[in-house]
Amino acid sequence: MTEQSPFRLLYLLTEPFGTGGVQSDMKSLGPHFVKNGHEVFIACPTGDQLELLQKGGVVHIPFDVHFKTPGQFQECKKRLRDLIQTIRPTVLAPQSIRSSWLCHAAAKDLPIPRITTIHNIHTPFNSLWAGFLLNKCSDAVVFESEHEHHRLTKLGLDPKKTTVIPSGIDTTTFYPIERSQALWKSIPGLSEHSVIFGCVARLSPEKAHSDLLKAFFEVRKEIPESRLILVGDGPLKDSLIHQTKSLGLEPFVHFAGQQSAIREYVSLFDVFVLASTRESLPRAAREAMACGKPIIATRVGATREVVHHGKSGLLVPPGNPAKLAKAMISLGSDPKTREDMTSLSLELIRKRFSLDIWLSENEALYKKASSGNLAGSLP
């Protein structure tokens, strides 16, 4: 097999194929590889985004990697082994520590390279043993952020096995557009004087929408014409709506729910706000930057690699609604600074988060692995 030969890639995902950063990556990478003549299989639980994946020629295989007992682990290992022997991939690409462990158990005696991608490790305890496990289970480890890369190499992961390839943003999908007038008119209470803060994120605990609502309560005192638009759905929706009513913010907060026309919603925002208590390399913030929006985000995970404080946006401590409110008031009342940050955001997306570079570097790595040239190929 030569380096230019097509590869047969088997991705293994932990979560269902719905909305999420990992799934968004797969929707870009998988069809791109198929278009370039490779075969791509994704094994994971089913989800509501599968149709978009399959339209790109990617084959989905229902597979659940969750296990709690040794017996369940052995059963899961056997099913994966059978799947590998049926598909005969030239590269295995687990997308989490759990799936990497399972791939190793199922295929450690097979001559198939295993390349693990680490998107994020939210639990500090998991980080303590992740380096040891990845040393044993993976031939190479791809990180999307310098933050996670530094954390795990410091905890024992062999740097020679690692590389950092930040996921790219599709600037043919996310780019600055004029405000969607139809959407603007469909949201009650907006006027030409409104200052719009917005967030696109799942309504779940780690996104800390409750802190955002508390901050917005204070923002309203200083910027009465401010409004907040929340795009997304999730388990905290009812409690967040209740909190909105309790704070007297119901006329000024719009819950848009899950949406596909993200760019159109972002076109309404003056400032994108992310109040998360944990993040990896936040895709929603980078998509908003590609749309020309300044960002306010919490200083967690790899957000510092996305938001350059004072240049493309502002960073604040997590879990601190008062400081979040101060940052929102600062940018909300300063159109000139917002305009300056827009150009810097677009430049950062072009230089650091190029879709073409991300796709080509991933493809080159899988080609090398598939043709037996992985050793010594990582920077």
Side-chain angles (χ1 to χ4, degrees):
M1 181 181 293
T2 67
E3 187 174 333
Q4 299 304 314
S5 298
F7 52 72
R8 290 170 62 86
L9 181 63
L10 175 59
Y11 282 116
L12 187 63
L13 275 63
T14 306
E15 301 301 325
F17 205 86
T19 56
V22 180
Q23 294 87 340
S24 294
D25 286 358
M26 297 300 100
K27 283 184 284 188
S28 295
L29 289 167
H32 171 79
F33 295 154
V34 171
K35 184 179 178 181
N36 285 0
H38 309 291
E39 294 181 83
V40 181
F41 304 83
I42 293 185
C44 69
T46 57
D48 59 11
Q49 297 292 301
L50 278 176
E51 184 179 352
L52 296 174
L53 186 73
Q54 292 165 330
K55 282 182 179 178
V58 177
V59 178
H60 172 251
I61 301 164
F63 196 94
D64 192 344
V65 304
H66 288 91
F67 47 83
K68 292 184 177 179
T69 67
Q72 290 173 342
F73 176 77
Q74 291 300 322
E75 172 60 26
C76 203
K77 181 181 80 171
K78 181 181 183 302
R79 287 191 292 111
L80 181 57
R81 174 82 174 201
D82 292 343
L83 177 60
I84 290 170
Q85 291 180 324
T86 299
I87 293 176
R88 298 189 176 278
T90 57
V91 183
L92 290 171
Q95 299 293 295
S96 66
I97 294 175
R98 174 185 287 267
S99 57
S100 183
W101 180 20
L102 186 63
C103 276
H104 171 71
K108 60 184 175 182
D109 61 336
L110 299 176
I112 307 173
R114 301 184 298 276
I115 299 178
T116 300
T117 298
I118 296 298
H119 300 265
N120 56 70
I121 303 176
H122 289 314
T123 307
F125 175 75
N126 288 348
S127 298
L128 298 178
W129 53 270
F132 167 79
L133 194 64
L134 291 171
N135 276 333
K136 184 177 182 63
C137 296
S138 301
D139 297 298
V141 183
V142 177
F143 291 92
E144 292 201 331
S145 72
E146 295 287 353
H147 169 78
E148 293 292 1
H149 177 253
H150 176 73
R151 180 156 66 143
L152 289 200
T153 52
K154 192 175 179 181
L155 290 170
L157 176 61
D158 183 357
K160 294 178 182 178
K161 281 190 170 188
T162 69
T163 188
V164 178
I165 308 176
S167 57
I169 300 300
D170 184 358
T171 53
T172 66
T173 299
F174 295 97
Y175 54 87
I177 60 172
E178 293 295 322
R179 175 186 294 162
S180 170
Q181 292 300 320
L183 188 56
W184 179 270
K185 292 176 182 177
S186 72
I187 299 176
L190 301 188
S191 75
E192 61 178 322
H193 302 295
S194 296
V195 177
I196 310 299
F197 297 95
C199 178
V200 180
R202 189 167 185 264
L203 305 182
S204 52
E206 73 278 3
K207 299 301 181 182
H209 289 85
S210 179
D211 287 347
L212 177 53
L213 288 171
K214 292 174 186 175
F216 184 62
F217 178 79
E218 299 301 324
V219 172
R220 288 269 319 150
K221 297 176 183 178
E222 300 294 328
I223 311 177
E225 64 273 22
S226 60
R227 300 291 185 271
L228 177 63
I229 298 176
L230 302 178
V231 180
D233 206 343
L236 296 186
K237 181 178 180 179
D238 289 343
S239 66
L240 291 171
I241 290 176
H242 177 74
Q243 180 184 2
T244 300
K245 292 178 180 178
S246 298
L247 291 171
L249 293 174
E250 189 175 11
F252 316 111
V253 178
H254 178 70
F255 287 85
Q258 192 67 40
Q259 297 291 335
S260 58
I262 299 299
R263 184 184 62 212
E264 284 67 25
Y265 271 90
V266 174
S267 77
L268 306 183
F269 301 170
D270 292 297
V271 181
F272 184 97
V273 187
L274 196 62
S276 305
T277 56
R278 65 176 193 259
E279 280 288 351
S280 54
L281 193 71
R283 173 175 287 273
R286 288 180 290 146
E287 290 173 347
M289 289 169 64
C291 292
K293 303 301 176 181
I295 312 295
I296 297 174
T298 44
R299 195 179 283 105
V300 294
T303 54
R304 280 171 286 192
E305 296 171 42
V306 175
V307 181
H308 292 184
H309 182 70
K311 296 180 179 179
S312 60
L314 298 176
L315 291 169
V316 299
N320 193 322
K323 289 192 175 181
L324 179 60
K326 184 177 179 180
M328 292 170 70
I329 292 167
S330 174
L331 278 190
S333 58
D334 190 347
K336 177 61 169 59
T337 297
R338 297 201 303 265
E339 184 179 346
D340 292 342
M341 286 181 171
T342 289
S343 59
L344 292 168
S345 291
L346 294 171
E347 183 69 7
L348 183 60
I349 292 296
R350 185 182 68 81
K351 286 185 174 180
R352 176 66 176 162
F353 302 110
S354 161
L355 180 69
D356 290 340
I357 293 174
W358 175 55
L359 294 173
S360 64
E361 289 189 358
N362 272 277
E363 185 172 11
L365 182 59
Y366 291 135
K367 280 183 177 180
K368 287 178 180 179
S370 185
S371 45
N373 296 328
L374 186 61
S377 66
L378 299 183

